[in-house]
Structure formats: structure tokens, C-alpha cells
Amino acid sequence: MAEPDNKPSGFFSQMLFNIILPVVILTRFSGEEHLGPSLGVIVALAFPVGFGLWERKKTGKFNFISGLGIVSVLLTGGISLLELDAKYIAIKEALIPGVIGVAIVVSQYTKYPLLKTMLFNENVMDIPKIDSALKEKGNLDKLPKVQIIASNILAGSFFLSSVLNYVLAKMIVVSPAGTEAYNNELGRMTALSYPVIVLPTMVIFFVALYYLINSLKKLTGLKMEEMFIEQ
């Protein structure tokens, strides 16, 4: 059996299947003369779900956040196809990143902190070298405090996303589900999610990464390039 390719898909593939294709279908092909509202939603959301499952097979990995991403898409489909009130889209949009933020905070106090999955990752950072340098400097006991602060900053990025998601959805998705107007609004919300939500959230994500790396540099005496595994 062939080993799975552990490299995640590129940025363009992520954008194409998660944003561009769903937006085009929802805004251009959801009229009665094309797919219609219900089939338009099904086809549009099939792309991110299918892409997520394909990437799972390709990398051999399926983590908590990836799973929530697929759940989010399925919830959008369920709300749309059952023609529930549009307010549930806003609630769902806020709930998913909010759950991730809470999970990051809570996971600090477990054996499996999400910080290690998202930032302090042994596939990216040379953890044994960092631990060895911390022991040599007598600073190993200071690492947990650094990790907690970095985790809280990281969680903050998801809490910001939760608020922005809710506001964006409430402002844009106002038509009844099961209509062409609703699909158009869902497409517009998806298109605007990148500049309005993803970019500010990524800024805070990189603040957490900068804090973690800068703190490790001070505690270990290592240069930044020495802390990362050569790719």
C-alpha cells in the first residue's frame, strides 16, 4: 500500500475548493434556470466537503479543527436545505470558531494541548533541541508559562473570528433559505470571509507565533533557524 503524502494542499487549491467554486455556484448558478436554490447549495458545499475528505486521505491526518470545518459546512447545508431561519447561519458561523477558541484554552490543561498541533509542532520545530537548550539554560520550567500565553493569544484569534463571523452573517444573510437571493447572500458571505475574517485572524495567529518564537529564543539562546526542522 502506498504511503500517504503528508504534505497539505497548496494555498490555491484551498482557495479554489473552499471559496472560489462555492461562491461561483451560489452566486451564478443557483437560479431556477440553472441548478436551483437547493441543488445549488448541495453542489456548492460538496466541493469543500469533498476536498476536506480527499486531503484527509492524502495526508493520512484528520485533526479536531479539520473535523469542525467539515461539520460547519454540513451544518450550513442542513440549515439551508431545511429552510431554517437565516439567524441560524449567524449562530453557526460564530459557534464553530468559538468552540475552537474554547478548546485551545481548555486543552492547555490536558496532555494534548492544541498549541502543539498548531504552533509548537514537532513536524515543524525541533522540539528535542529546544528542550535540550532549555535544560542547559535552566529555563525548562518557564516553558509552560510561555505556552499558556501563546495559547491564549491563539485562542483570541478564534474568538475574534467568532465575532466577525456573526456580524458578517447577520449583515448579509437576511433572505429566506431556499431562495435564489439566500444563495447569493451565502455566496457573498463566503467571498467576504477571507478579507473580513481570515486576514485579521491570521494577524493575531502570527502574533502568537512571533511571541512563542521570540520567547524561545530568549530562553534557549537558539537562533530562529536553529529551532525549525529543515524541510
Side-chain angles (χ1 to χ4, degrees):
M1 180 182 292
E3 289 295 323
D5 179 0
N6 290 322
K7 293 182 180 179
S9 300
F11 174 76
F12 178 75
S13 298
Q14 298 275 354
M15 291 291 291
L16 179 65
F17 289 98
N18 291 325
I19 296 180
I20 297 173
L21 288 174
V23 167
V24 170
I25 291 167
L26 288 168
T27 58
R28 301 295 182 186
F29 296 98
S30 291
E32 294 297 344
E33 69 277 17
H34 294 111
L35 296 170
S38 296
L39 187 55
V41 166
I42 292 171
V43 173
L45 300 184
F47 283 102
V49 171
F51 181 76
L53 294 174
W54 172 80
E55 191 165 48
R56 156 69 180 92
K57 182 178 180 181
K58 176 187 175 189
T59 62
K61 297 176 181 178
F62 195 79
N63 58 45
F64 169 75
I65 293 175
S66 299
L68 275 182
I70 291 178
V71 168
S72 176
V73 175
L74 294 176
L75 285 175
T76 298
I79 292 167
S80 303
L81 296 174
L82 293 173
E83 299 185 7
L84 302 180
D85 194 296
K87 70 180 181 182
Y88 291 109
I89 288 291
I91 293 171
K92 186 275 299 183
E93 288 292 303
L95 181 64
I96 298 298
V99 167
I100 295 174
V102 170
I104 290 172
V105 173
V106 172
S107 71
Q108 300 173 53
Y109 306 101
T110 70
K111 294 181 179 179
Y112 306 102
L114 283 174
L115 179 74
K116 289 188 176 181
T117 300
M118 304 176 73
L119 293 180
F120 201 54
N121 190 321
E122 63 183 8
N123 294 320
V124 178
M125 302 188 76
D126 194 336
I127 306 301
K129 182 189 289 185
I130 292 171
D131 285 344
S132 177
L134 286 169
K135 289 178 183 177
E136 189 176 317
K137 295 282 186 178
N139 289 327
L140 190 60
D141 60 329
K142 296 179 181 178
L143 180 60
K145 182 179 178 180
V146 169
Q147 290 176 323
I148 287 174
I149 294 174
S151 289
N152 289 337
I153 298 172
L154 185 62
S157 71
F158 286 96
F159 292 138
L160 173 63
S161 175
S162 179
V163 173
L164 294 176
N165 274 344
Y166 182 82
V167 172
L168 187 66
K170 286 291 286 185
M171 290 176 60
I172 293 179
V173 185
V174 295
S175 297
T179 63
E180 183 179 354
Y182 171 88
N183 281 25
N184 277 311
E185 291 162 1
L186 204 59
R188 284 174 53 216
M189 182 190 75
T190 303
L192 288 170
S193 67
Y194 191 80
V196 174
I197 297 168
V198 175
L199 292 180
T201 302
M202 287 301 294
V203 169
I204 299 180
F205 180 91
F206 282 112
V207 168
L209 180 60
Y210 173 80
Y211 169 80
L212 178 64
I213 292 172
N214 197 49
S215 297
L216 288 174
K217 283 169 63 178
K218 292 177 180 177
L219 293 176
T220 63
L222 297 172
K223 296 178 181 179
M224 185 174 70
E225 58 269 21
E226 293 176 316
M227 290 189 285
F228 288 89
I229 295 173
E230 291 186 15
Q231 299 297 314

